[in-house]
Amino acid sequence: MTLLPPTVEQQRRIDEQQPPDPEMRKRDIQALRDWLAKQPHLPKHFDDKRLENFLFGCKNSLERCKLILETYFSARTALPEFFAARDPLAQDIQESCDAVEYFVLPKMTEDGYRVTIMRLKDTALEKFSIIAITRRILMVLDLRLQEEQSLSNIMIFDLKGFTAGHFAKCSPTQSIAKKAMLATQNSMPFRLQRIYYLNAPSFIGSVINIFYPLLKERLVEKFRILTGGGEELHPYMDKDILPTEWGGKAGTFQELNEAWRLKIEKHRDWFLREEKLSRTNESARLPSSKSLIAKELDGMQGSFRKLNID
């Protein structure tokens, strides 16, 4: 699956929100390298492009970028259930691809945002694995970090087929669900513009009320709850970028899901190599530099307080 680059107009809008400064970017990347050199517990293998993409995702803030880099590497050591055994051909990943459709659309929105969709293909509760889908999401995010800079993101959850049992697996009362949120939201330099929930069931209010006390108000403001299907997205974005089933031209759900399955499979060697490289050396960590991810795990009730949002 190829992520199409921004058009001239999309790039103009991206530049308006985050003006490019090549000379400052070079200085900032060198500053990140100098900082990494002084962190004995952190890896040093990132190339300039990946550091640049990290920096862009952090709105060119050096301090925020250092924080996210530290958390990115620390999470891979502290949360092995999501970052170990990252083999795209593993049975749990393949079963997740069969049961849950998860993909990034090829084209950006007019404003230069990336759109990601998740929906159930198989509604059987036993096929819905939080660990497998989280591991897969992180693999896709890692590929995106290699390929492009992302201004901001739109997430679409199609809740058709979701039952109370599915929501229970995602509940913040579940330790694994809290850890999944830590892994996906706190350790990646991706910003979130909007979250759409489609085909919301009648009990969605009760579900969201469980999460509200744990979420920042600014994140809650990004929610849009829609009771219908993909056609309800048309007022909010160009329908042509959407899947065929929702009136668009991006391809069918199955085609898009399979394209991303193939994409992560093609990068199998890279994932297996990165699994060993992108980890902290905790024995070399300075006593005063305990990671935020470790602090969050020590006090899990605060897991949702540091979501990486605009």
Side-chain angles (χ1 to χ4, degrees):
M1 170 59 68
T2 301
L3 292 173
L4 299 178
T7 64
V8 172
E9 179 60 23
Q10 288 168 340
Q11 188 63 56
R12 184 187 67 79
R13 296 191 181 192
I14 291 171
D15 291 344
E16 284 179 352
Q17 294 193 47
Q18 200 155 313
D21 188 336
E23 290 305 313
M24 181 175 288
R25 186 63 54 85
K26 288 180 182 179
R27 292 194 298 269
D28 286 346
I29 289 175
Q30 186 57 51
L32 287 174
R33 291 209 173 281
D34 293 343
W35 172 77
L36 283 168
K38 298 175 182 178
Q39 311 302 313
H41 63 292
L42 296 183
K44 315 290 191 287
H45 67 289
F46 271 19
D47 59 22
D48 284 357
K49 181 179 180 182
R50 200 155 24 152
L51 284 177
E52 184 176 350
N53 291 348
F54 250 89
L55 191 59
F56 188 90
C58 294
K59 301 173 77 171
N60 296 330
S61 166
L62 269 175
E63 292 311 307
R64 185 178 184 183
C65 192
K66 291 175 185 178
L67 177 64
I68 299 299
L69 277 169
E70 159 69 39
T71 310
Y72 176 90
F73 292 125
S74 297
R76 281 151 174 73
T77 304
L79 298 168
E81 53 267 78
F82 304 125
F83 295 104
R86 300 178 82 192
D87 185 348
L89 299 180
Q91 182 177 347
D92 64 336
I93 297 296
Q94 289 294 315
E95 289 179 349
S96 175
C97 290
D98 291 337
V100 181
E101 292 174 327
Y102 175 81
F103 49 83
V104 186
L105 295 177
K107 291 184 178 181
M108 295 179 172
T109 67
E110 293 179 355
D111 292 320
Y113 303 145
R114 283 289 179 204
V115 180
T116 301
I117 296 171
M118 190 173 84
R119 63 190 303 277
L120 296 180
K121 183 178 180 181
D122 188 332
T123 60
L125 187 57
E126 65 271 15
K127 300 291 183 67
F128 187 65
S129 167
I130 294 295
I131 292 179
I133 187 59
T134 302
R135 189 181 296 152
R136 188 171 146 216
I137 287 170
L138 291 163
M139 292 167 78
V140 168
L141 292 178
D142 262 330
L143 289 184
R144 288 184 58 194
L145 273 176
Q146 284 225 104
E147 294 184 5
E148 66 167 1
Q149 297 176 350
S150 175
L151 180 64
S152 198
N153 295 269
I154 294 173
M155 187 71 212
I156 302 172
F157 292 100
D158 184 354
L159 301 180
K160 185 177 182 179
F162 270 72
T163 65
H166 290 94
F167 286 113
K169 283 193 172 185
C170 303
S171 169
T173 60
Q174 301 292 327
S175 173
I176 196 65
K178 290 183 180 181
K179 289 182 178 181
M181 182 66 83
L182 273 177
T184 54
Q185 295 289 349
N186 289 29
S187 68
M188 288 286 184
F190 289 100
R191 287 175 270 155
L192 190 59
Q193 178 69 21
R194 185 76 68 216
I195 303 175
Y196 292 100
Y197 295 94
L198 303 181
N199 292 300
S202 58
F203 57 83
I204 190 66
S206 299
V207 172
I208 292 178
N209 283 338
I210 297 174
F211 287 86
Y212 269 1
L214 303 171
L215 299 173
K216 284 186 175 181
E217 183 178 350
R218 290 171 65 195
L219 178 63
V220 174
E221 290 173 353
K222 296 175 186 288
F223 289 1
R224 294 294 182 272
I225 311 297
L226 306 174
T227 57
E231 70 282 352
E232 292 203 32
L233 295 169
H234 296 177
Y236 304 104
M237 64 186 72
D238 179 6
K239 72 174 184 179
D240 285 349
I241 74 170
L242 296 171
T244 305
E245 292 90 341
W246 291 348
K249 299 178 180 178
T252 65
F253 295 141
Q254 181 173 347
E255 289 168 345
L256 293 163
N257 189 63
E258 288 304 306
W260 276 95
R261 185 205 302 253
L262 181 60
K263 189 179 182 75
I264 64 173
E265 288 177 357
K266 284 184 175 180
H267 287 80
R268 179 174 185 262
D269 291 343
W270 183 86
F271 281 118
L272 296 179
R273 183 172 62 253
E274 275 290 304
E275 178 184 326
K276 299 175 182 178
L277 293 175
S278 292
R279 297 171 60 86
T280 54
N281 179 1
E282 291 300 321
S283 64
R285 183 187 289 275
L286 298 175
S288 60
S289 65
K290 185 175 183 179
S291 72
L292 285 179
I293 205 85
K295 292 177 182 177
E296 291 283 8
L297 290 172
D298 287 345
M300 190 67 82
Q301 70 275 10
S303 296
F304 291 82
R305 293 297 184 186
K306 294 186 176 70
L307 294 181
N308 182 27
I309 60 173
D310 284 335

